[in-house]
Amino acid sequence: MAKELSSFTMGKLIDATEAQLTLDKRTNMASKMQSAHSFVNNLINEPACKNYYADQINGYLFERKELLDFLQNGHATHVVIVMGAHLADEGNFKEGDPTVMVLKTTIPEDDKAAKNGTLRAQVDGTTVALEHPPGQMITSIVNGQLTFNFI
């Protein structure tokens, strides 16, 4: 069944309590996976896979001005956040380290209803994505304070 784009256009507004619970849920699940991860990691020979799955990054810090400058160029109607992995060792990154990209997209009016569960969007501009700076491990979101460690 096709979904209308309008069902995807609003984000859910949450308060600091729900944000902390959401962070705690991920942290709890990651902790439970540690023993399985250790076992599987010993079976994986590809370093990039180990780099991706062993990484503790759960947040990405963008500078507001850089993000706004990027988004204001062009005619994008939507922003897509895409998880990825670094292609090669470069600077402080190792091949396979998790990364996130912000892509500017435009969804044509005639494709507002997803066909066969697929929604097609046009990438806006020749510079299509803004990739994160070094990731962080966010440890708490309490009383308006965000606590994180650079990894």
Side-chain angles (χ1 to χ4, degrees), residues 32-45:
K32 289 179 180 178
M33 292 174 54
Q34 283 301 323
S35 60
H37 172 269
S38 296
F39 174 75
V40 171
N41 203 24
N42 291 328
L43 299 177
I44 297 173
N45 293 322

Side-chain angles (χ1 to χ4, degrees), residues 29-103:
M29 291 189 315
S31 294
K32 289 179 180 178
M33 292 174 54
Q34 283 301 323
S35 60
H37 172 269
S38 296
F39 174 75
V40 171
N41 203 24
N42 291 328
L43 299 177
I44 297 173
N45 293 322
E46 187 178 340
C49 288
K50 289 183 181 182
N51 293 340
Y52 186 84
Y53 286 104
D55 205 294
Q56 297 298 306
I57 289 174
N58 68 353
Y60 302 92
L61 182 66
F62 287 91
E63 187 175 297
R64 182 177 187 267
K65 182 183 182 326
E66 180 182 43
L67 190 56
L68 287 175
D69 287 349
F70 173 71
L71 295 177
Q72 287 174 348
N73 292 327
H75 304 285
T77 58
H78 292 76
V79 174
V80 179
I81 309 299
V82 181
M83 292 297 300
H86 283 277
L87 301 176
D89 292 355
E90 181 181 358
N92 293 331
F93 301 110
K94 297 179 295 234
E95 180 185 1
D97 281 353
T99 188
V100 65
M101 298 174 291
V102 177
L103 283 81

Side-chain angles (χ1 to χ4, degrees), residues 6 13 17 47 93-94 105 131 139 147 151:
S6 59
L13 296 174
T17 301
F93 301 110
K94 297 179 295 234
T105 61
E131 190 178 4
T139 56
T147 305
I151 294 180

